[in-house]
Amino acid sequence: MNGSDKEFDIQRYNPSMAETWNRFVSQSKNGTFLFDRGYMDYHADRFQDFSLVFYRKGKIYALLPANIKDDVLYSHQGLTYGGLIMSEHCTCSAIITLFKELNTFLSNLGIQRVVYKSTPWIYHKLPSEEDLYALFVVCKAQLISRDISSSSNSGHPIPFTESRKSGLRKAVNDGLTISRSNDIATFWNILNDNLNAKYNRKPVHTIAELQLLMSRFPENIQLYVIKKDERVIGGTVLYITPTVIHTQYISACSYGKKNGAIDLLFDYLINIEFKDTHKHFDFGKSTADNSEDLNQQLIFQKEGFGMRGLCYDTYEWKL
């Protein structure tokens, strides 16, 4: 233990803890499969892991997926969102104490700064913002970036705009079809061509990485494709969590774009396939350059599917 005056025993994660870590994530009130070590560790060579495990009275109370670079601790830079993973038994008072002791723990190790990505509330199975309160009252943390995503609530659906409905009619008239697929290579090539032509960049994941992750999490990572006859002309990779369907990648070839392929795809996914299974659809961020550059065309398209604003926030504090 850290001493009788400490409420928490803070330990660095090591691979021998993987099974226990994963079990806690699956039972937590705000964890998703992104925090499973089978997902986090696929790119372990790119980050110096500094994930932390918080014990209270001999039992795990919370986890913090993290990495370290120089003298800065980051909510894991390989993940879209992060922050403290908590059990349903966590209380506000205890989380305040946890952050006090975390800051002392990190300071004693010579860490100067913490960069913390919170998990957007739609991913919570239960309300889980005790950490945000502790960041304010304990850490005096500053909001350093705010990206905007576009999300929906199945309990209050907003109809597609006329432009999206027009594309849907084109797709139906053209005989396009939607199906689940494992042909990630064909979709990735369409995605890569589009990203390279428009932004001169590649997808975050390689074909091999997506194939690996899909094999590890077949129920959480799924590919849906649009076909013209038997030819794949577009699709989306979905990240499926208990409360959210997140579109990790969306893309269509030029033929698909002209003929409403994406409109048909999301009409099917939102209004048929996942209509009664999840609370939210999340289309992801439409911002770049440290959240200050809004891609107006991209967010307009997402809003056309009835999506509305959701923020992904990052905080920072000095020790």
Side-chain angles (χ1 to χ4, degrees):
M1 298 292 288
N2 288 338
S4 59
D5 59 327
K6 299 292 184 182
E7 187 167 340
F8 292 93
D9 174 19
I10 305 174
Q11 296 184 15
R12 283 190 61 181
Y13 168 82
N14 68 70
S16 68
M17 300 176 178
E19 185 177 345
T20 303
W21 173 288
N22 292 343
R23 187 183 308 115
F24 185 91
V25 169
S26 68
Q27 296 172 353
S28 68
K29 65 175 183 170
N30 64 332
T32 70
F33 77 94
L34 271 71
F35 305 125
D36 186 286
R37 300 310 304 200
Y39 187 93
M40 286 183 62
D41 294 342
Y42 86 89
H43 50 21
D45 58 317
R46 300 180 212 169
F47 304 96
Q48 183 180 349
D49 191 271
F50 205 91
S51 298
L52 299 173
V53 182
F54 300 85
Y55 291 89
R56 187 171 184 250
K57 298 180 180 178
K59 295 183 179 180
I60 297 178
Y61 195 75
L63 305 173
L64 182 62
N67 68 283
I68 192 170
K69 186 176 181 182
D70 299 324
D71 58 0
V72 182
L73 181 81
Y74 294 89
S75 280
H76 205 288
Q77 290 175 291
L79 301 176
T80 306
Y81 49 81
L84 198 68
I85 302 170
M86 297 175 276
S87 80
E88 63 183 34
H89 303 294
C90 287
T91 65
C92 187
S93 177
I95 295 302
I96 287 173
T97 301
L98 183 151
F99 272 91
K100 289 177 180 177
E101 296 184 10
L102 169 64
N103 287 346
T104 300
F105 175 84
L106 296 176
S107 183
N108 288 341
L109 292 174
I111 293 172
Q112 302 293 313
R113 201 159 47 91
V114 179
V115 177
Y116 186 98
K117 290 183 290 191
S118 61
T119 297
W121 65 270
I122 62 172
Y123 290 92
H124 301 170
K125 287 176 280 188
L126 292 170
S128 305
E129 295 188 342
E130 291 87 354
D131 61 334
L132 296 185
Y133 184 70
L135 295 192
F136 175 73
V137 298
V138 175
C139 307
K140 310 302 180 186
Q142 299 295 310
L143 179 68
I144 60 171
S145 73
R146 169 165 280 170
D147 292 291
I148 191 159
S149 179
S150 301
S151 304
S152 68
N153 185 327
S154 61
H156 189 93
I158 297 175
F160 287 13
T161 60
E162 183 53 40
S163 60
R164 301 275 67 85
K165 291 178 181 177
S166 175
L168 175 58
R169 289 191 292 268
K170 283 183 183 179
V172 171
N173 292 335
D174 198 39
L176 304 187
T177 59
I178 309 296
S179 60
R180 188 175 167 186
S181 172
N182 290 316
D183 186 7
I184 196 66
T186 298
F187 170 74
W188 191 93
N189 287 330
I190 294 172
L191 174 68
N192 184 59
D193 289 346
N194 281 338
L195 289 176
N196 187 52
K198 197 164 187 179
Y199 303 109
N200 193 30
R201 62 183 179 88
K202 292 182 176 292
V204 174
H205 300 92
T206 65
I207 295 173
E209 287 172 342
L210 278 174
Q211 289 172 333
L212 173 66
L213 292 172
M214 287 177 72
S215 71
R216 289 180 178 178
F217 301 97
E219 298 306 312
N220 300 108
I221 304 177
Q222 297 179 10
L223 169 66
Y224 283 80
V225 298
I226 315 112
K227 291 183 178 180
K228 171 60 177 175
D229 299 323
E230 291 303 311
R231 181 168 71 98
V232 174
I233 60 172
T236 183
V237 174
L238 301 178
Y239 275 23
I240 301 173
T241 67
T243 60
V244 180
I245 305 292
H246 172 74
T247 56
Q248 181 70 13
Y249 294 111
I250 307 168
S251 205
C253 68
S254 57
Y255 181 90
K257 292 175 184 176
K258 293 176 184 176
N259 290 277
I262 299 299
D263 302 305
L264 179 69
L265 175 64
F266 286 110
D267 176 67
Y268 172 77
L269 294 176
I270 294 170
N271 296 318
I272 299 174
E273 183 78 344
F274 296 105
K275 181 181 180 181
D276 299 317
T277 62
H278 290 72
K279 293 180 181 179
H280 305 280
F281 243 88
D282 182 25
F283 270 56
K285 303 172 185 177
S286 298
T287 42
D289 295 333
N290 197 33
S291 76
E292 294 182 5
D293 180 18
L294 177 64
N295 188 325
Q296 298 275 4
Q297 182 179 357
L298 182 59
I299 200 167
F300 175 79
Q301 181 188 39
K302 295 172 183 178
E303 290 169 345
F305 292 114
M307 305 294 123
R308 294 298 182 263
L310 172 77
C311 287
Y312 282 65
D313 290 344
T314 303
Y315 299 86
E316 178 185 68
W317 69 93
K318 296 180 180 179
L319 298 170

